[in-house]
């Protein structure tokens, strides 16, 4: 795996999106690019990540950001994923894994004790000059937009983009305020 770091020139690319249009990094010279790599279309975590970016897409555009998703899936599967989730940004098909290798996100993974090669979920923030400004090695799918805003504009600017945390469930109590105990099953002799 190639290891890029902030300050490196972002590797050039040209790939087809879900509509069959060619998309290149050069198309976005002078703009900030959110280039996120994800394992597969239609998988639960990838869907959460894409939908978080979709839900915040208007605000990201208003700040001048470009959003591009990349996976090894083909154009047809990208189209199904984009249609099913109303994704407004390009999803680039990297079936030959050239971009995945150039950005160093293809490699050995371990899941449930199984070792295999696959895409490491990673987001690259590329500045207006085509340099890598930030790398998010472990994006939080439900908070991807907030992570991007926090890195480029600071934590205070990211606060409105944060997904609210669920409050812990309240403990059940009796009328006198004592905690309700769960019944214990008796063992048979």
């Amino acid at each position: 795996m190639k290891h890029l770091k902030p300050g490196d020139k972002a590797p050039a690319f040209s790939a087809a999106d879900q509509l069959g249009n060619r998309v290149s990094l050069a198309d976005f010279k002078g703009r900030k690019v959110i280039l996120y790599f994800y394992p597969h279309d239609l998988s639960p975590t990838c869907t959460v990540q894409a939908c978080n970016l979709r839900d915040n897409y208007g605000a990201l555009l208003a700040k001048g950001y470009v959003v591009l998703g990349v996976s090894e899936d083909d154009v047809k599967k990208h189209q199904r994923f984009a249609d099913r989730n109303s994704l407004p940004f390009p999803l680039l098909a990297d079936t030959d894994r050239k971009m995945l290798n150039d950005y160093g996100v293809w490699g050995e993974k371990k899941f449930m004790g199984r070792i295999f090669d696959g895409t490491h979920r990673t987001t690259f923030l590329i500045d207006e000059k085509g340099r890598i400004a930030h790398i998010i090695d472990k994006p939080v799918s439900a908070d991807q937009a907030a992570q991007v805003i926090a890195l480029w504009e600071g934590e205070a600017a990211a606060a409105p983009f944060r997904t609210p945390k669920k409050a812990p469930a309240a403990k059940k109590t009796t009328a006198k305020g004592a905690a309700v105990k769960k019944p214990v099953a008796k063992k048979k002799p």
Side-chain angles (χ1 to χ4, degrees), residues 63-136:
K63 291 177 175 291
Y65 303 147
V66 172
V67 178
L68 302 172
V70 183
S71 84
E72 66 177 308
D73 293 320
D74 63 21
V75 170
K76 199 176 205 179
K77 193 168 180 190
H78 278 342
Q79 181 66 55
R80 223 175 23 241
F81 185 46
D83 288 348
R84 182 175 291 173
N85 295 291
S86 302
L87 303 179
F89 46 83
L91 299 175
L92 307 182
D94 189 28
T95 56
D96 63 359
R97 300 189 191 117
K98 180 170 179 9
M99 288 179 69
L100 296 171
N101 285 310
D102 286 351
Y103 279 82
V105 298
W106 179 262
E108 189 175 278
K109 295 174 70 170
K110 188 175 183 179
F111 181 69
M112 295 179 70
R114 198 174 124 240
I115 297 172
F116 59 96
D117 284 337
T119 302
H120 292 262
R121 186 180 311 280
T122 309
T123 301
F124 291 85
L125 306 182
I126 302 169
D127 69 18
E128 299 89 338
K129 295 178 182 174
R131 298 225 167 258
I132 297 170
H134 303 282
I135 301 172
I136 305 172

Side-chain angles (χ1 to χ4, degrees), residues 19-39:
L19 302 174
N21 300 319
R22 293 303 293 179
V23 177
S24 300
L25 181 58
D27 298 338
F28 306 106
K29 188 175 181 180
R31 297 185 66 194
K32 290 182 177 178
V33 177
I34 302 164
L35 182 66
Y36 81 98
F37 291 87
Y38 62 98

Side-chain angles (χ1 to χ4, degrees), residues 140 143 162-168:
V140 177
D143 265 343
R162 294 268 178 226
T163 301
K165 302 271 188 244
K166 289 184 180 178

